[in-house]
């Protein structure tokens, strides 16, 4: 590409994350707007045919067509890349479309992927079923055992994919250890950073090549739109993903990009407040006799607590999962009934499988987010019928405790 590039915001060297979260993007237009502009246009006029030809040939950086170039989307991409400490970012229509783009950009028939068996249910389906149709093999391994990842390496392994913490068990992987394994195998390491966001965790700092996001969650923060993104090096983004996006069009709409862009401005303070509430709720749940076990990285009882505190800026995040008592006495059916009873007894929590909202949400993972998996797959991932997931928002913790006790107290 020639020296004609889209200009950047003029910021001092070394500004901190909170400043990048409200300032990075594109320079203001000639009108001098202080809030980022929303460019709702499908295409952009070119000054002449020769310039149009040069821009379509990637000889000059410019806005052409909103399927793959739009100022509002670029503002979001630049801001998220800056927060993740990445060179570049490409935005997508959803978090799952980001993983689809990842696979389409990096993999081909005959390639091998290693993926944690504890990842989001749709991610398991995408790797295990959809990519398999096109000759890509996936081995599912323990989230927390690097030795198992190492043993799964094959000569044709091209990608290691992890989610940390996982949904819903909040298992934490050792990103640095997986990075070493990937590099020795000549493979890429991609980490889904949805639960932590760059406010708490930046996987690239630990050796990840790529960071995946569902912007639907904490990046937006208020449950308004669907969005996704991949962050990584300029070479990977521009050479591997942009050409696929240009042809396949899993594009993020400018309006959704603008909403998430504005959400990033409050990401840090939201994650701090929601994580603090989640820790308080998790400690309270551990003390409830009707709760068999609590899963939350901020608790000392969590198996990867020390690792989580090191990787996640000393925070456990905002998602708490717990198992309601009843499995031993009445089996899976009774456990499911007890979990449903707790969920249905709430009046403050929103019963929805989404997370990352300022409103606290509650769901039964085995029948929602992981409902398409077989019972064998769910149990392999540690997801039982008695499990309940709470994504803590900005509600008062005392109200959440009373809400959950309504069901727990009547079991």
């Amino acid at each position: 590409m020639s020296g004609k590039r889209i200009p950047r915001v003029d910021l001092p060297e070394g500004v901190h994350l909170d400043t990048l979260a409200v300032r990075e993007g594109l320079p203001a237009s000639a009108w001098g707007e202080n809030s980022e502009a929303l460019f709702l246009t499908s295409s952009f006029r070119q000054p002449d045919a020769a310039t149009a030809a040069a821009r379509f040939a990637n000889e000059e950086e410019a806005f052409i067509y909103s399927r793959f170039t739009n100022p509002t989307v670029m503002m979001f991409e630049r801001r998220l890349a800056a927060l993740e400490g990445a060179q570049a970012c490409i935005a997508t229509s959803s978090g799952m479309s980001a993983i689809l783009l990842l696979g389409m950009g990096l993999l081909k028939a005959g390639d091998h992927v290693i993926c944690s068996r504890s990842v989001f249910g749709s991610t398991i389906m995408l790797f295990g079923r959809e990519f398999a149709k096109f000759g890509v093999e996936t081995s599912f391994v323990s989230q927390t055992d690097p030795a198992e990842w190492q043993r799964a390496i094959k000569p044709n392994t091209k990608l290691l994919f992890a989610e940390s913490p996982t949904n819903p068990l909040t298992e934490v992987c050792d990103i640095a250890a997986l990075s070493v394994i990937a590099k020795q195998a000549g493979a890429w390491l991609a980490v889904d950073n949805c639960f932590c966001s760059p406010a708490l965790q930046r996987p690239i700092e630990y050796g990840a090549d790529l960071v995946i996001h569902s912007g639907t969650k904490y990046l937006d923060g208020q449950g308004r739109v669907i969005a996704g993104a991949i962050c990584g090096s300029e070479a990977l983004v521009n050479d591997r993903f942009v050409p696929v996006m240009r042809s396949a069009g899993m594009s993020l709409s400018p309006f959704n990009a603008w909403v998430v862009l504005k959400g990033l401005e409050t990401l840090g303070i939201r994650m701090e407040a929601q994580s603090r509430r989640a820790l308080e709720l998790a400690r309270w749940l551990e003390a409830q006799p009707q709760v068999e076990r609590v899963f939350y990285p901020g608790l000392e009882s969590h198996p990867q607590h020390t690792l989580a505190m090191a990787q996640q800026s000393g925070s456990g995040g905002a998602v708490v999962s717990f198992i309601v008592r009843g499995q031993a006495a009445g089996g899976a059916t009774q456990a499911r009934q007890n979990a449903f009873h707790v969920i249905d007894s709430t009046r403050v929590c929103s019963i929805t499988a989404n997370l990352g909202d300022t409103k606290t949400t509650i769901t039964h993972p085995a029948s929602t987010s992981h409902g398409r998996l077989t019972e064998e797959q769910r149990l392999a991932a540690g997801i039982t019928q008695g499990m309940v997931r709470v994504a803590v928002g900005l509600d008062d913790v005392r109200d959440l405790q009373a809400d959950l006790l309504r069901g727990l107290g009547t079991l």
Side-chain angles (χ1 to χ4, degrees):
M1 183 175 288
S2 71
K4 294 183 178 180
R5 305 293 296 267
I6 295 169
R8 304 194 69 94
V9 175
D10 185 17
L11 291 172
E13 192 73 28
V15 294
H16 296 86
L17 284 178
D18 286 348
T19 303
L20 291 171
V22 298
R23 299 286 178 181
E24 181 60 283
L26 289 175
S29 73
W31 304 111
E33 67 279 355
N34 189 48
S35 181
E36 291 80 7
L38 172 55
F39 289 86
L40 289 177
T41 181
S42 58
S43 64
F44 299 84
R45 289 185 290 186
Q46 308 301 318
D48 52 64
T51 301
R55 291 175 175 178
F56 270 85
N58 287 332
E59 295 170 359
E60 180 179 331
E61 191 176 49
F63 299 111
I64 303 169
Y65 190 61
S66 284
R67 187 175 73 243
F68 57 99
T69 52
N70 178 277
T72 310
V73 176
M74 178 175 278
M75 284 188 273
F76 164 63
E77 291 170 335
R78 285 186 173 181
R79 184 169 295 180
L80 182 57
L83 294 179
E84 281 289 2
Q87 293 177 346
C89 170
I90 185 165
T92 63
S93 55
S94 68
M96 290 311 304
S97 70
I99 302 175
L100 175 63
L101 177 59
L102 177 79
M104 293 182 70
L106 298 182
L107 305 173
K108 65 182 184 307
D111 285 344
H112 176 243
V113 176
I114 305 174
C115 180
S116 163
R117 69 170 63 98
S118 303
V119 297
F120 178 48
S122 293
T123 304
I124 292 175
M125 297 300 289
L126 187 60
F127 279 112
R129 187 175 70 181
E130 309 305 336
F131 286 166
K133 296 176 183 176
F134 301 97
V136 174
E137 178 194 5
T138 300
S139 298
F140 293 97
V141 299
S142 166
Q143 164 83 358
T144 59
D145 185 3
E148 193 169 329
W149 292 75
Q150 181 66 66
R151 289 193 297 271
I153 291 289
K154 298 181 178 182
N156 58 336
T157 300
K158 294 296 187 293
L159 175 68
L160 277 64
F161 188 95
E163 181 183 290
S164 191
T166 58
N167 180 8
L169 266 74
T170 70
E171 289 184 333
V172 176
C173 72
D174 188 332
I175 300 173
L178 296 187
S179 172
V180 171
I181 295 170
K183 285 178 171 55
Q184 289 175 343
W188 295 286
L189 171 62
V191 176
D192 187 324
N193 198 26
C194 172
F195 265 37
C196 280
S197 85
L200 303 183
Q201 176 177 268
R202 285 166 289 280
I204 288 173
E205 294 179 356
Y206 296 93
D209 299 291
L210 296 156
V211 181
I212 309 298
H213 274 288
S214 170
T216 313
K217 311 302 190 295
Y218 292 104
L219 302 189
D220 169 24
Q222 295 184 53
R224 297 169 292 192
V225 297
I226 305 294
I230 304 175
C231 299
S233 68
E234 285 188 355
L236 280 174
V237 170
N238 294 333
D239 297 344
R240 293 281 187 157
F241 304 134
V242 170
V244 177
M245 173 71 78
R246 188 166 179 172
S247 299
M250 56 279 279
S251 318
L252 180 61
S253 77
F255 177 78
N256 287 10
W258 183 82
V259 171
V260 183
L261 177 72
K262 302 309 288 182
L264 288 177
E265 295 183 358
T266 60
L267 177 63
I269 56 176
R270 282 188 285 105
M271 290 303 297
E272 179 182 358
Q274 289 172 249
S275 299
R276 185 172 63 249
R277 287 165 168 79
L279 177 59
E280 185 177 347
L281 184 67
R283 285 176 172 158
W284 177 83
L285 282 166
E286 273 200 318
Q288 303 311 303
Q290 305 89 347
V291 173
E292 183 177 309
R293 183 178 176 185
V294 180
F295 302 86
Y296 181 68
L299 293 174
E300 291 77 4
S301 60
H302 192 281
Q304 297 92 45
H305 171 71
T306 302
L307 175 62
M309 294 302 95
Q311 282 186 176
Q312 298 172 195
S313 306
S315 173
V319 176
V320 181
S321 294
F322 62 95
I323 297 177
V324 181
R325 291 200 182 277
Q327 178 85 32
T333 300
Q334 185 62 53
R336 182 184 177 108
Q337 289 175 356
N338 288 352
F340 277 22
H341 174 72
V342 172
I343 293 169
D344 292 344
S345 297
T346 59
R347 293 169 54 193
V348 174
C349 296
S350 302
I351 303 176
T352 174
N354 192 35
L355 60 94
D357 203 318
T358 52
K359 299 178 178 68
T360 299
T361 67
I362 189 168
T363 194
H364 180 251
S367 59
T368 59
S369 60
H370 293 70
R372 291 190 295 159
L373 303 184
T374 65
E375 184 67 3
E376 183 181 5
Q377 287 176 309
R378 283 191 290 268
L379 291 176
I383 300 167
T384 65
Q385 292 294 333
M387 179 173 287
V388 175
R389 191 198 73 196
V390 179
V392 181
L394 294 178
D395 307 276
D396 192 294
V397 177
R398 293 167 295 184
D399 295 328
L400 300 179
Q401 292 169 348
D403 212 32
L404 292 170
L405 195 58
R406 223 182 319 274
L408 290 171
T410 54
L411 286 176

